[in-house]
Amino acid sequence: MTDKTEDLRSYAGEERIRKGTQAGMPPVDPATRRDRGDGPFDRLILRGATIIDGTGAPPISPADIVIEGGRIAAIEKVGLPRKLSPDSRRPAKGDREIDCRGKYVTPGFVDCHAHIGVPYHALSGPMAPADYVYKLWLAHGVTTVREMGCFNGLGWTLDQKAKAASGEIAAPRILAYPYFPAVNDMLKTIHTPAQAREWLRAVKARGADGIKFFGAPPAIMQAALDECRELGLRSGCHHAQQAVTRMNSLTTARWGLTSQEHYYGLGEALFENRLIQDYSPEYDYGDEYFRFSFAGQTFKQAAAPGSAKWNAVMDEYLELGFSFVPTFTIYDANRDLMRTRRADWHDAYTYASLWTFYQPDGGGHGSYWHRWSTTNEVEWKQNYRLWMQFINEFKNRGGRVATGSDSGFIFQTFGFGFIRELELLQEAGFTPLEVLRSATIQGAELLDVADEVGSIEVGKAADLLVHDQNPLADFKLLYATGAMRLNQETNKVEWPRILRHTIKGGIVYDVEELLADVRDMVAESRRASPELPRP
Ligand SMILES: [Zn+2]
């Protein structure tokens, strides 16, 4: 074995964090122990629940769900909605029981585009620890995440993945998709197709579940996707503007890409009178104002909904079995900056350095607000209409659309951004049941973990959410802040929220405890750094 091969075997997937650490951007503090959650139990029973199983099937009640050692052992229908069977005809007592009469149980949510913090944040002050991110996710029902890029390093991510799987830390299940280092504007250590294949074999051997691409020269990308297929690695791509002129997401879909992330690559696949987006002369990709304002013009330069080109592109994505992870939420600020900047949760839940990172200082990724205008917002609203129309139609014709949040940028705080994505999928035209399916079983299928999680079925892991009310009636009630409601009896404003317990692998988390921990961490982050701006 050559030294170079040795090096690749230990460092493939660490390229970016090694470089970042040298530049003052070290990894986020990992979680080391679990200080919340009870279980798993020998026998945990959820009694008398209304089940919404995640497959798209409508609610059904009442049922007892029996969980043994972290796995769903039985689901028994126990009578009629207003008439429970006598105890003698119900499953025998457990060592922990949760009374779910009047409550709704859904699968845990799958966030298909997530970052466990981002080392970039270090430039804005002391970084939030991984515990902050994990607790916000669990408190919003997220029990599985696809770590898109492993920006803290592949080894770091695999360590957290193992500790999450064993219940040693309070965290969702983690799938590790390291960053493929072959783009000029971020980090490029792969220069040939042969190097791409070698690197992929190395990260696969280290334990990667899939690959996050940002583009690459086409010959390298094609070889890499071919090697992914050989190795059984799934893939997602953010088709960055620096790469998309040579291959849009229909090209990469043909080469075997599993999913397109965000919107990049789709608008370009729909171009019919051009191959390259029309930019104005002052455009500079290095200035994020240009990057993000011109991205709001892609769809209007593309084929119209219902046109022959639109239909042909749609047909081909469907035939290829392609998936979209739109992450509508992460661009929400582009169409209404004030709404996103003043969101109800920043006061109590946005960590000091994260808030600082969001501010327009000309440096941080996604902080391009130096001259955001009415025109920019209107263009983005129009862009969303076309983009959402495509995604909704793709879903209606049988295509898979998974839910991803990409939080940690652009005024989107962890957990809250995921719930916002549920709202935006509904805005795109999904019914609430379709939204839930996207957020559960379709995400699990995309990540190739649907035999384990994503729906409520006997034999699967017990990743379950216990809600006080039907979440399909109003996704806003899933925000940790709750949603503003007038109590008609008292004539007082209240902020109810409905997620009571998040159960992951049979470990029962009390959402209120998780949120109290997060509020403490945020308050402490402000005490420790009084010089940082605050919401
Ligand atoms: Zn991302």
Side-chain angles (χ1 to χ4, degrees):
M1 192 192 302
T2 64
D3 285 355
K4 199 169 147 284
T5 310
E6 188 117 47
D7 194 54
L8 199 61
R9 286 192 184 167
S10 32
Y11 292 112
E14 309 298 330
E15 296 84 359
R16 205 178 138 107
I17 192 61
R18 287 165 86 195
K19 200 174 162 212
T21 300
Q22 288 160 10
M25 292 179 277
V28 167
D29 277 346
T32 54
R33 52 182 278 273
R34 177 160 66 84
D35 58 357
R36 292 292 185 190
D38 301 322
F41 300 89
D42 289 341
R43 190 173 164 86
L44 163 67
I45 305 187
L46 310 185
R47 293 273 184 196
T50 301
I51 291 177
I52 316 177
D53 73 5
T55 65
I60 181 169
S61 79
D64 288 355
I65 303 172
V66 181
I67 296 154
E68 290 178 352
R71 209 159 272 284
I72 300 172
I75 301 168
E76 293 197 18
K77 183 86 168 26
V78 288
L80 298 167
R82 270 160 294 278
K83 191 164 184 287
L84 282 167
S85 304
D87 288 351
S88 59
R89 283 197 266 130
R90 296 175 66 177
K93 201 160 168 36
D95 53 342
R96 166 84 190 260
E97 304 216 348
I98 299 176
D99 181 0
C100 290
R101 282 173 299 173
K103 296 189 193 292
Y104 285 72
V105 176
T106 66
F109 298 138
V110 181
D111 189 337
C112 289
H113 193 117
H115 304 289
I116 308 169
V118 183
Y120 287 146
H121 297 158
L123 301 181
S124 301
M127 270 190 294
D131 271 327
Y132 165 80
V133 179
Y134 296 147
K135 285 183 173 177
L136 277 173
W137 278 337
L138 291 171
H140 288 92
V142 174
T143 53
T144 300
V145 298
R146 181 172 63 153
E147 222 301 352
M148 285 304 268
C150 299
F151 296 138
N152 292 301
L154 177 57
W156 186 102
T157 310
L158 291 171
D159 170 71
Q160 294 288 280
K161 173 185 171 167
K163 291 189 167 93
S166 66
E168 202 177 325
I169 58 174
R173 293 169 202 280
I174 297 166
L175 285 102
Y177 279 50
Y179 157 74
F180 184 73
V183 288
N184 289 330
D185 58 308
M186 291 173 73
L187 184 65
K188 187 167 183 173
T189 61
I190 292 171
H191 303 280
T192 67
Q195 286 172 348
R197 290 180 187 274
E198 197 185 359
W199 184 90
L200 286 161
R201 286 192 291 269
V203 294
K204 168 74 179 181
R206 294 190 68 199
D209 296 292
I211 306 298
K212 164 79 174 287
F213 290 97
F214 285 90
I220 292 178
M221 189 77 178
Q222 193 170 4
L225 288 169
D226 181 62
E227 190 66 31
C228 282
R229 185 165 37 213
E230 293 276 314
L231 296 169
L233 288 168
R234 297 205 171 189
S235 53
C237 184
H238 166 156
H239 295 77
Q241 277 94 337
Q242 293 300 304
V244 76
T245 55
R246 294 197 283 179
M247 40 177 207
N248 59 51
S249 70
L250 193 54
T251 321
T252 51
R254 288 177 191 138
W255 292 343
L257 182 73
T258 315
S259 62
Q260 181 202 290
E261 308 301 303
H262 319 305
Y263 57 86
Y264 310 104
L266 170 59
E268 290 83 354
L270 287 165
F271 282 167
E272 54 183 347
N273 300 319
R274 65 185 79 242
L275 288 174
I276 299 172
Q277 182 171 343
D278 184 20
Y279 295 108
S280 74
E282 74 270 27
Y283 185 97
D284 176 351
Y285 185 69
D287 178 333
E288 288 203 345
Y289 172 76
F290 290 111
R291 173 174 162 186
F292 284 94
S293 58
F294 278 83
Q297 301 174 13
T298 315
F299 284 96
K300 106 179 154 191
Q301 296 185 19
S307 63
K309 175 77 179 184
W310 172 283
N311 291 332
V313 168
M314 178 86 64
D315 287 344
E316 193 173 352
Y317 280 124
L318 287 162
E319 278 159 27
L320 289 165
F322 196 58
S323 298
F324 287 96
V325 185
T327 69
F328 291 125
T329 166
I330 198 61
Y331 310 103
D332 206 15
N334 292 352
R335 55 182 203 162
D336 192 348
L337 175 58
M338 185 163 69
R339 174 195 201 286
T340 316
R341 196 176 75 83
R342 299 306 306 150
D344 292 322
W345 37 87
H346 291 312
D347 288 347
Y349 292 103
T350 299
Y351 206 81
S353 58
L354 189 56
W355 180 255
T356 307
F357 178 77
Y358 294 151
Q359 306 309 311
D361 64 359
H365 173 48
S367 307
Y368 42 84
W369 314 110
H370 345 321
R371 52 186 184 282
W372 204 250
S373 68
T374 305
T375 300
N376 292 142
E377 291 193 354
V378 169
E379 281 179 349
W380 266 98
K381 285 178 186 174
Q382 290 164 344
N383 205 49
Y384 264 81
R385 273 179 221 132
L386 295 164
W387 176 25
M388 285 178 157
Q389 190 172 346
F390 189 95
I391 295 295
N392 189 49
E393 190 178 326
F394 181 76
K395 173 266 298 173
N396 288 343
R397 294 187 52 195
R400 183 198 293 139
V401 177
T403 308
S405 69
D406 201 20
S407 292
F409 305 99
I410 318 182
F411 291 109
Q412 293 297 343
T413 296
F414 305 95
F416 296 95
F418 187 85
I419 303 306
R420 180 63 183 155
E421 185 69 5
L422 305 183
E423 292 198 273
L424 291 169
L425 288 166
Q426 188 172 347
E427 181 182 329
F430 289 47
T431 65
L433 259 181
E434 289 172 339
V435 173
L436 182 70
R437 182 183 59 154
S438 167
T440 57
I441 191 68
Q442 291 204 319
E445 287 168 357
L446 176 68
L447 274 51
D448 200 18
V449 292
D451 53 344
E452 244 336 74
V453 299
S455 62
I456 303 180
E457 294 181 67
V458 173
K460 284 197 177 186
D463 286 12
L464 301 167
L465 308 179
V466 179
H467 309 270
D468 287 342
Q469 299 171 35
N470 185 348
L472 303 181
D474 190 352
F475 291 125
K476 284 189 192 305
L477 297 170
L478 291 172
Y479 288 120
T481 45
M484 187 169 68
R485 294 287 179 270
L486 180 67
N487 181 327
Q488 305 273 6
E489 320 241 293
T490 62
N491 204 34
K492 293 225 165 67
V493 167
E494 297 173 352
W495 287 78
R497 59 168 192 83
I498 59 171
L499 179 57
R500 205 48 49 202
H501 298 290
T502 294
I503 303 171
K504 190 214 128 196
I507 297 174
V508 180
Y509 294 95
D510 180 318
V511 170
E512 192 45 53
E513 289 178 356
L514 297 170
L515 291 175
D517 291 349
V518 173
R519 289 191 297 269
D520 285 349
M521 283 187 253
V522 170
E524 179 53 32
S525 74
R526 293 188 189 145
R527 270 194 298 275
S529 303
E531 73 286 3
L532 295 182
R534 42 186 70 198

